[in-house]
mmCIF file of all heavy atoms in Angstrom:
data_model
loop_
_atom_site.group_PDB
_atom_site.id
_atom_site.type_symbol
_atom_site.label_atom_id
_atom_site.label_comp_id
_atom_site.label_asym_id
_atom_site.label_seq_id
_atom_site.Cartn_x
_atom_site.Cartn_y
_atom_site.Cartn_z
ATOM 1 N N CYS B 1 5.597 -8.060 30.590
ATOM 2 C CA CYS B 1 6.962 -8.017 31.121
ATOM 3 C C CYS B 1 6.971 -7.931 32.641
ATOM 4 O O CYS B 1 7.808 -8.554 33.302
ATOM 5 C CB CYS B 1 7.730 -6.835 30.520
ATOM 6 S SG CYS B 1 8.103 -7.042 28.768
ATOM 7 N N CYS B 2 6.044 -7.162 33.168
ATOM 8 C CA CYS B 2 5.935 -7.047 34.628
ATOM 9 C C CYS B 2 5.604 -8.404 35.243
ATOM 10 O O CYS B 2 6.193 -8.800 36.254
ATOM 11 C CB CYS B 2 4.874 -6.010 34.983
ATOM 12 S SG CYS B 2 4.711 -5.694 36.757
ATOM 13 N N SER B 3 4.680 -9.122 34.617
ATOM 14 C CA SER B 3 4.288 -10.434 35.149
ATOM 15 C C SER B 3 5.424 -11.441 35.041
ATOM 16 O O SER B 3 5.549 -12.349 35.867
ATOM 17 C CB SER B 3 3.051 -10.961 34.414
ATOM 18 O OG SER B 3 3.354 -11.288 33.071
ATOM 19 N N LEU B 4 6.277 -11.269 34.016
ATOM 20 C CA LEU B 4 7.409 -12.183 33.816
ATOM 21 C C LEU B 4 8.670 -11.720 34.555
ATOM 22 O O LEU B 4 9.689 -12.411 34.545
ATOM 23 C CB LEU B 4 7.725 -12.300 32.318
ATOM 24 C CG LEU B 4 6.661 -12.971 31.450
ATOM 25 C CD1 LEU B 4 7.014 -12.822 29.976
ATOM 26 C CD2 LEU B 4 6.523 -14.448 31.815
ATOM 27 N N LYS B 5 8.601 -10.521 35.138
ATOM 28 C CA LYS B 5 9.735 -9.931 35.867
ATOM 29 C C LYS B 5 10.951 -9.755 34.965
ATOM 30 O O LYS B 5 12.078 -10.123 35.295
ATOM 31 C CB LYS B 5 10.079 -10.771 37.097
ATOM 32 C CG LYS B 5 8.956 -10.855 38.109
ATOM 33 C CD LYS B 5 9.324 -11.701 39.310
ATOM 34 C CE LYS B 5 8.157 -11.775 40.288
ATOM 35 N NZ LYS B 5 8.457 -12.631 41.454
ATOM 36 N N VAL B 6 10.697 -9.148 33.786
ATOM 37 C CA VAL B 6 11.766 -8.838 32.840
ATOM 38 C C VAL B 6 11.676 -7.366 32.453
ATOM 39 O O VAL B 6 10.632 -6.726 32.622
ATOM 40 C CB VAL B 6 11.689 -9.720 31.575
ATOM 41 C CG1 VAL B 6 11.874 -11.191 31.936
ATOM 42 C CG2 VAL B 6 10.366 -9.516 30.833
ATOM 43 N N HIS B 7 12.755 -6.842 31.912
ATOM 44 C CA HIS B 7 12.797 -5.434 31.508
ATOM 45 C C HIS B 7 12.218 -5.273 30.103
ATOM 46 O O HIS B 7 12.660 -5.942 29.168
ATOM 47 C CB HIS B 7 14.240 -4.933 31.538
ATOM 48 C CG HIS B 7 14.396 -3.530 31.040
ATOM 49 N ND1 HIS B 7 13.882 -2.443 31.715
ATOM 50 C CD2 HIS B 7 14.993 -3.036 29.923
ATOM 51 C CE1 HIS B 7 14.162 -1.346 31.044
ATOM 52 N NE2 HIS B 7 14.828 -1.668 29.951
ATOM 53 N N PRO B 8 11.225 -4.395 29.915
ATOM 54 C CA PRO B 8 10.603 -4.230 28.591
ATOM 55 C C PRO B 8 11.393 -3.274 27.695
ATOM 56 O O PRO B 8 11.877 -2.234 28.134
ATOM 57 C CB PRO B 8 9.231 -3.637 28.926
ATOM 58 C CG PRO B 8 9.453 -2.873 30.196
ATOM 59 C CD PRO B 8 10.530 -3.615 30.950
ATOM 60 N N ILE B 9 11.510 -3.632 26.421
ATOM 61 C CA ILE B 9 12.120 -2.767 25.412
ATOM 62 C C ILE B 9 11.185 -2.756 24.202
ATOM 63 O O ILE B 9 10.791 -3.814 23.706
ATOM 64 C CB ILE B 9 13.505 -3.271 24.981
ATOM 65 C CG1 ILE B 9 14.469 -3.297 26.180
ATOM 66 C CG2 ILE B 9 14.075 -2.390 23.864
ATOM 67 C CD1 ILE B 9 15.791 -3.973 25.871
ATOM 68 N N ILE B 10 10.834 -1.566 23.723
ATOM 69 C CA ILE B 10 9.973 -1.450 22.544
ATOM 70 C C ILE B 10 10.780 -0.828 21.414
ATOM 71 O O ILE B 10 11.279 0.293 21.533
ATOM 72 C CB ILE B 10 8.716 -0.623 22.850
ATOM 73 C CG1 ILE B 10 7.890 -1.306 23.947
ATOM 74 C CG2 ILE B 10 7.873 -0.446 21.580
ATOM 75 C CD1 ILE B 10 6.667 -0.528 24.385
ATOM 76 N N HIS B 11 10.930 -1.576 20.327
ATOM 77 C CA HIS B 11 11.714 -1.127 19.180
ATOM 78 C C HIS B 11 10.820 -0.501 18.124
ATOM 79 O O HIS B 11 9.716 -0.977 17.865
ATOM 80 C CB HIS B 11 12.443 -2.311 18.525
ATOM 81 C CG HIS B 11 13.537 -2.887 19.358
ATOM 82 N ND1 HIS B 11 14.615 -2.149 19.789
ATOM 83 C CD2 HIS B 11 13.730 -4.149 19.832
ATOM 84 C CE1 HIS B 11 15.426 -2.925 20.482
ATOM 85 N NE2 HIS B 11 14.904 -4.143 20.539
ATOM 86 N N ARG B 12 11.336 0.527 17.494
ATOM 87 C CA ARG B 12 10.674 1.085 16.321
ATOM 88 C C ARG B 12 10.991 0.219 15.104
ATOM 89 O O ARG B 12 12.072 -0.344 14.991
ATOM 90 C CB ARG B 12 11.145 2.512 16.056
ATOM 91 C CG ARG B 12 10.743 3.482 17.127
ATOM 92 C CD ARG B 12 11.011 4.899 16.721
ATOM 93 N NE ARG B 12 12.415 5.150 16.427
ATOM 94 C CZ ARG B 12 12.905 6.344 16.127
ATOM 95 N NH1 ARG B 12 12.107 7.372 16.073
ATOM 96 N NH2 ARG B 12 14.176 6.513 15.888
ATOM 97 N N PHE B 13 10.053 0.148 14.195
ATOM 98 C CA PHE B 13 10.256 -0.602 12.968
ATOM 99 C C PHE B 13 11.253 0.120 12.063
ATOM 100 O O PHE B 13 11.162 1.326 11.852
ATOM 101 C CB PHE B 13 8.930 -0.783 12.229
ATOM 102 C CG PHE B 13 9.078 -1.329 10.836
ATOM 103 C CD1 PHE B 13 9.561 -2.611 10.636
ATOM 104 C CD2 PHE B 13 8.744 -0.553 9.736
ATOM 105 C CE1 PHE B 13 9.700 -3.125 9.348
ATOM 106 C CE2 PHE B 13 8.871 -1.057 8.458
ATOM 107 C CZ PHE B 13 9.351 -2.341 8.265
ATOM 108 N N THR B 14 12.229 -0.635 11.546
ATOM 109 C CA THR B 14 13.201 -0.107 10.596
ATOM 110 C C THR B 14 13.067 -0.886 9.291
ATOM 111 O O THR B 14 13.277 -2.100 9.273
ATOM 112 C CB THR B 14 14.635 -0.255 11.139
ATOM 113 O OG1 THR B 14 14.727 0.396 12.410
ATOM 114 C CG2 THR B 14 15.631 0.371 10.183
ATOM 115 N N PRO B 15 12.726 -0.230 8.203
ATOM 116 C CA PRO B 15 12.485 -0.942 6.937
ATOM 117 C C PRO B 15 13.767 -1.323 6.213
ATOM 118 O O PRO B 15 14.069 -0.817 5.131
ATOM 119 C CB PRO B 15 11.653 0.071 6.132
ATOM 120 C CG PRO B 15 12.082 1.403 6.651
ATOM 121 C CD PRO B 15 12.409 1.203 8.102
ATOM 122 N N ASN B 16 14.540 -2.230 6.821
ATOM 123 C CA ASN B 16 15.742 -2.775 6.204
ATOM 124 C C ASN B 16 15.581 -4.283 6.069
ATOM 125 O O ASN B 16 14.771 -4.899 6.768
ATOM 126 C CB ASN B 16 16.982 -2.462 7.046
ATOM 127 C CG ASN B 16 17.291 -0.980 7.093
ATOM 128 O OD1 ASN B 16 17.003 -0.252 6.161
ATOM 129 N ND2 ASN B 16 17.880 -0.531 8.184
ATOM 130 N N GLY B 17 16.397 -4.907 5.204
ATOM 131 C CA GLY B 17 16.347 -6.352 5.057
ATOM 132 C C GLY B 17 14.962 -6.831 4.659
ATOM 133 O O GLY B 17 14.319 -6.267 3.767
ATOM 134 N N ARG B 18 14.476 -7.894 5.350
ATOM 135 C CA ARG B 18 13.120 -8.379 5.053
ATOM 136 C C ARG B 18 12.063 -7.376 5.492
ATOM 137 O O ARG B 18 10.923 -7.416 5.016
ATOM 138 C CB ARG B 18 12.885 -9.741 5.729
ATOM 139 C CG ARG B 18 13.452 -10.906 4.940
ATOM 140 C CD ARG B 18 12.819 -12.227 5.334
ATOM 141 N NE ARG B 18 13.088 -12.608 6.705
ATOM 142 C CZ ARG B 18 14.153 -13.285 7.098
ATOM 143 N NH1 ARG B 18 15.080 -13.638 6.223
ATOM 144 N NH2 ARG B 18 14.314 -13.606 8.371
ATOM 145 N N GLY B 19 12.427 -6.490 6.408
ATOM 146 C CA GLY B 19 11.491 -5.450 6.820
ATOM 147 C C GLY B 19 11.097 -4.561 5.658
ATOM 148 O O GLY B 19 9.936 -4.151 5.532
ATOM 149 N N ALA B 20 12.058 -4.264 4.767
ATOM 150 C CA ALA B 20 11.764 -3.445 3.588
ATOM 151 C C ALA B 20 10.852 -4.201 2.623
ATOM 152 O O ALA B 20 9.962 -3.613 1.994
ATOM 153 C CB ALA B 20 13.062 -3.054 2.895
ATOM 154 N N GLN B 21 11.068 -5.516 2.519
ATOM 155 C CA GLN B 21 10.260 -6.338 1.607
ATOM 156 C C GLN B 21 8.824 -6.505 2.108
ATOM 157 O O GLN B 21 7.900 -6.665 1.324
ATOM 158 C CB GLN B 21 10.906 -7.715 1.445
ATOM 159 C CG GLN B 21 12.302 -7.670 0.842
ATOM 160 C CD GLN B 21 13.040 -8.999 0.997
ATOM 161 O OE1 GLN B 21 12.482 -9.998 1.456
ATOM 162 N NE2 GLN B 21 14.310 -9.003 0.627
ATOM 163 N N ASN B 22 8.656 -6.465 3.435
ATOM 164 C CA ASN B 22 7.341 -6.733 4.040
ATOM 165 C C ASN B 22 6.738 -5.504 4.713
ATOM 166 O O ASN B 22 5.913 -5.628 5.610
ATOM 167 C CB ASN B 22 7.480 -7.850 5.076
ATOM 168 C CG ASN B 22 7.848 -9.173 4.439
ATOM 169 O OD1 ASN B 22 7.189 -9.647 3.531
ATOM 170 N ND2 ASN B 22 8.935 -9.781 4.914
ATOM 171 N N ILE B 23 7.141 -4.331 4.258
ATOM 172 C CA ILE B 23 6.725 -3.102 4.931
ATOM 173 C C ILE B 23 5.201 -2.973 5.012
ATOM 174 O O ILE B 23 4.657 -2.529 6.019
ATOM 175 C CB ILE B 23 7.349 -1.863 4.239
ATOM 176 C CG1 ILE B 23 7.081 -0.598 5.071
ATOM 177 C CG2 ILE B 23 6.873 -1.705 2.810
ATOM 178 C CD1 ILE B 23 7.904 0.589 4.617
ATOM 179 N N ASP B 24 4.492 -3.394 3.969
ATOM 180 C CA ASP B 24 3.023 -3.271 3.976
ATOM 181 C C ASP B 24 2.369 -4.222 4.980
ATOM 182 O O ASP B 24 1.254 -3.964 5.450
ATOM 183 C CB ASP B 24 2.460 -3.547 2.572
ATOM 184 C CG ASP B 24 2.844 -2.462 1.575
ATOM 185 O OD1 ASP B 24 3.118 -1.338 2.023
ATOM 186 O OD2 ASP B 24 2.887 -2.749 0.372
ATOM 187 N N LYS B 25 3.058 -5.323 5.309
ATOM 188 C CA LYS B 25 2.517 -6.282 6.272
ATOM 189 C C LYS B 25 2.743 -5.828 7.716
ATOM 190 O O LYS B 25 2.021 -6.252 8.624
ATOM 191 C CB LYS B 25 3.184 -7.649 6.084
ATOM 192 C CG LYS B 25 2.906 -8.330 4.765
ATOM 193 C CD LYS B 25 3.641 -9.666 4.704
ATOM 194 C CE LYS B 25 3.424 -10.358 3.372
ATOM 195 N NZ LYS B 25 4.186 -11.632 3.307
ATOM 196 N N ILE B 26 3.759 -5.002 7.917
ATOM 197 C CA ILE B 26 4.205 -4.686 9.274
ATOM 198 C C ILE B 26 3.836 -3.276 9.716
ATOM 199 O O ILE B 26 3.441 -3.043 10.848
ATOM 200 C CB ILE B 26 5.743 -4.842 9.382
ATOM 201 C CG1 ILE B 26 6.167 -6.245 8.949
ATOM 202 C CG2 ILE B 26 6.232 -4.547 10.794
ATOM 203 C CD1 ILE B 26 7.665 -6.371 8.735
ATOM 204 N N PHE B 27 3.946 -2.342 8.797
ATOM 205 C CA PHE B 27 3.988 -0.924 9.156
ATOM 206 C C PHE B 27 2.661 -0.222 8.888
ATOM 207 O O PHE B 27 1.983 -0.504 7.909
ATOM 208 C CB PHE B 27 5.096 -0.260 8.347
ATOM 209 C CG PHE B 27 5.298 1.183 8.656
ATOM 210 C CD1 PHE B 27 6.004 1.568 9.776
ATOM 211 C CD2 PHE B 27 4.777 2.159 7.833
ATOM 212 C CE1 PHE B 27 6.195 2.909 10.067
ATOM 213 C CE2 PHE B 27 4.961 3.498 8.113
ATOM 214 C CZ PHE B 27 5.677 3.865 9.235
ATOM 215 N N THR B 28 2.318 0.722 9.756
ATOM 216 C CA THR B 28 1.199 1.632 9.508
ATOM 217 C C THR B 28 1.615 3.038 9.910
ATOM 218 O O THR B 28 2.504 3.224 10.747
ATOM 219 C CB THR B 28 -0.058 1.258 10.318
ATOM 220 O OG1 THR B 28 0.205 1.458 11.714
ATOM 221 C CG2 THR B 28 -0.471 -0.182 10.077
ATOM 222 N N GLU B 29 0.975 4.037 9.326
ATOM 223 C CA GLU B 29 1.265 5.424 9.686
ATOM 224 C C GLU B 29 0.967 5.676 11.164
ATOM 225 O O GLU B 29 1.665 6.436 11.849
ATOM 226 C CB GLU B 29 0.445 6.374 8.818
ATOM 227 C CG GLU B 29 0.817 6.317 7.348
ATOM 228 C CD GLU B 29 -0.147 7.098 6.484
ATOM 229 O OE1 GLU B 29 -0.905 7.926 7.041
ATOM 230 O OE2 GLU B 29 -0.145 6.895 5.268
ATOM 231 N N LYS B 30 -0.070 5.030 11.663
ATOM 232 C CA LYS B 30 -0.453 5.211 13.065
ATOM 233 C C LYS B 30 0.646 4.739 14.001
ATOM 234 O O LYS B 30 0.958 5.385 15.004
ATOM 235 C CB LYS B 30 -1.743 4.445 13.349
ATOM 236 C CG LYS B 30 -2.308 4.685 14.740
ATOM 237 C CD LYS B 30 -3.630 3.951 14.921
ATOM 238 C CE LYS B 30 -4.197 4.201 16.313
ATOM 239 N NZ LYS B 30 -5.459 3.459 16.522
ATOM 240 N N VAL B 31 1.266 3.590 13.668
ATOM 241 C CA VAL B 31 2.375 3.077 14.485
ATOM 242 C C VAL B 31 3.518 4.071 14.481
ATOM 243 O O VAL B 31 4.127 4.361 15.514
ATOM 244 C CB VAL B 31 2.848 1.706 13.945
ATOM 245 C CG1 VAL B 31 4.154 1.293 14.617
ATOM 246 C CG2 VAL B 31 1.788 0.649 14.195
ATOM 247 N N TYR B 32 3.828 4.620 13.309
ATOM 248 C CA TYR B 32 4.907 5.600 13.202
ATOM 249 C C TYR B 32 4.623 6.808 14.090
ATOM 250 O O TYR B 32 5.486 7.273 14.828
ATOM 251 C CB TYR B 32 5.064 6.053 11.755
ATOM 252 C CG TYR B 32 6.186 7.040 11.558
ATOM 253 C CD1 TYR B 32 7.475 6.609 11.274
ATOM 254 C CD2 TYR B 32 5.964 8.408 11.675
ATOM 255 C CE1 TYR B 32 8.504 7.515 11.113
ATOM 256 C CE2 TYR B 32 6.984 9.317 11.518
ATOM 257 C CZ TYR B 32 8.255 8.868 11.232
ATOM 258 O OH TYR B 32 9.274 9.775 11.084
ATOM 259 N N LEU B 33 3.416 7.318 14.014
ATOM 260 C CA LEU B 33 3.039 8.497 14.796
ATOM 261 C C LEU B 33 3.164 8.211 16.286
ATOM 262 O O LEU B 33 3.719 9.012 17.048
ATOM 263 C CB LEU B 33 1.609 8.917 14.447
ATOM 264 C CG LEU B 33 1.072 10.158 15.164
ATOM 265 C CD1 LEU B 33 1.895 11.372 14.800
ATOM 266 C CD2 LEU B 33 -0.394 10.382 14.809
ATOM 267 N N GLU B 34 2.656 7.064 16.728
ATOM 268 C CA GLU B 34 2.675 6.721 18.147
ATOM 269 C C GLU B 34 4.097 6.594 18.692
ATOM 270 O O GLU B 34 4.381 6.963 19.823
ATOM 271 C CB GLU B 34 1.933 5.407 18.382
ATOM 272 C CG GLU B 34 0.427 5.520 18.270
ATOM 273 C CD GLU B 34 -0.254 4.183 18.486
ATOM 274 O OE1 GLU B 34 0.447 3.168 18.561
ATOM 275 O OE2 GLU B 34 -1.493 4.176 18.566
ATOM 276 N N ASN B 35 5.013 6.086 17.870
ATOM 277 C CA ASN B 35 6.346 5.784 18.360
ATOM 278 C C ASN B 35 7.378 6.862 18.076
ATOM 279 O O ASN B 35 8.466 6.833 18.638
ATOM 280 C CB ASN B 35 6.824 4.450 17.780
ATOM 281 C CG ASN B 35 6.088 3.286 18.399
ATOM 282 O OD1 ASN B 35 6.426 2.832 19.472
ATOM 283 N ND2 ASN B 35 5.043 2.822 17.725
ATOM 284 N N ASN B 36 7.067 7.815 17.230
ATOM 285 C CA ASN B 36 8.016 8.860 16.899
ATOM 286 C C ASN B 36 7.605 10.233 17.410
ATOM 287 O O ASN B 36 8.434 11.121 17.468
ATOM 288 C CB ASN B 36 8.224 8.929 15.384
ATOM 289 C CG ASN B 36 8.997 7.740 14.870
ATOM 290 O OD1 ASN B 36 10.213 7.742 14.851
ATOM 291 N ND2 ASN B 36 8.283 6.699 14.479
ATOM 292 N N VAL B 37 6.345 10.416 17.747
ATOM 293 C CA VAL B 37 5.897 11.749 18.119
ATOM 294 C C VAL B 37 5.203 11.772 19.463
ATOM 295 O O VAL B 37 4.413 12.647 19.752
ATOM 296 C CB VAL B 37 4.933 12.327 17.057
ATOM 297 C CG1 VAL B 37 5.379 13.704 16.653
ATOM 298 C CG2 VAL B 37 4.810 11.490 15.833
ATOM 299 N N ARG B 38 5.494 10.791 20.274
ATOM 300 C CA ARG B 38 4.827 10.723 21.573
ATOM 301 C C ARG B 38 5.328 11.828 22.492
ATOM 302 O O ARG B 38 4.579 12.457 23.209
ATOM 303 C CB ARG B 38 5.090 9.352 22.194
ATOM 304 C CG ARG B 38 4.285 9.087 23.437
ATOM 305 C CD ARG B 38 4.428 7.643 23.860
ATOM 306 N NE ARG B 38 3.798 6.759 22.896
ATOM 307 C CZ ARG B 38 3.918 5.433 22.947
ATOM 308 N NH1 ARG B 38 4.637 4.871 23.870
ATOM 309 N NH2 ARG B 38 3.305 4.685 22.055
ATOM 310 N N LYS B 39 6.650 12.068 22.445
ATOM 311 C CA LYS B 39 7.249 13.116 23.266
ATOM 312 C C LYS B 39 8.297 13.857 22.445
ATOM 313 O O LYS B 39 8.867 13.316 21.504
ATOM 314 C CB LYS B 39 7.889 12.523 24.522
ATOM 315 C CG LYS B 39 6.898 12.020 25.554
ATOM 316 C CD LYS B 39 7.607 11.580 26.816
ATOM 317 C CE LYS B 39 6.600 11.127 27.870
ATOM 318 N NZ LYS B 39 7.287 10.691 29.115
ATOM 319 N N ALA B 40 8.541 15.090 22.829
ATOM 320 C CA ALA B 40 9.582 15.880 22.186
ATOM 321 C C ALA B 40 10.897 15.625 22.913
ATOM 322 O O ALA B 40 11.025 15.938 24.098
ATOM 323 C CB ALA B 40 9.218 17.363 22.244
#
């Protein structure tokens, strides 16, 4: 994003729609931990 001069946004995975159908392809416990417990 810095190289492209754009503002970065990082979304958490939400298991709705096709996300719920493909949760095993997309989601890991490690990703959840990194994105939900990084800061209080």
Side-chain angles (χ1 to χ4, degrees):
C1 290
C2 184
S3 68
L4 293 171
K5 298 180 181 178
V6 297
H7 176 67
I9 299 172
I10 299 177
H11 291 301
R12 294 190 301 184
F13 170 65
T14 304
N16 294 330
R18 278 200 296 273
Q21 299 166 6
N22 294 306
I23 188 168
D24 292 336
K25 295 179 182 178
I26 304 167
F27 183 79
T28 67
E29 295 171 17
K30 186 177 180 182
V31 169
Y32 182 90
L33 181 63
E34 286 179 352
N35 288 278
N36 289 273
V37 231
R38 189 171 292 172
K39 289 186 178 180

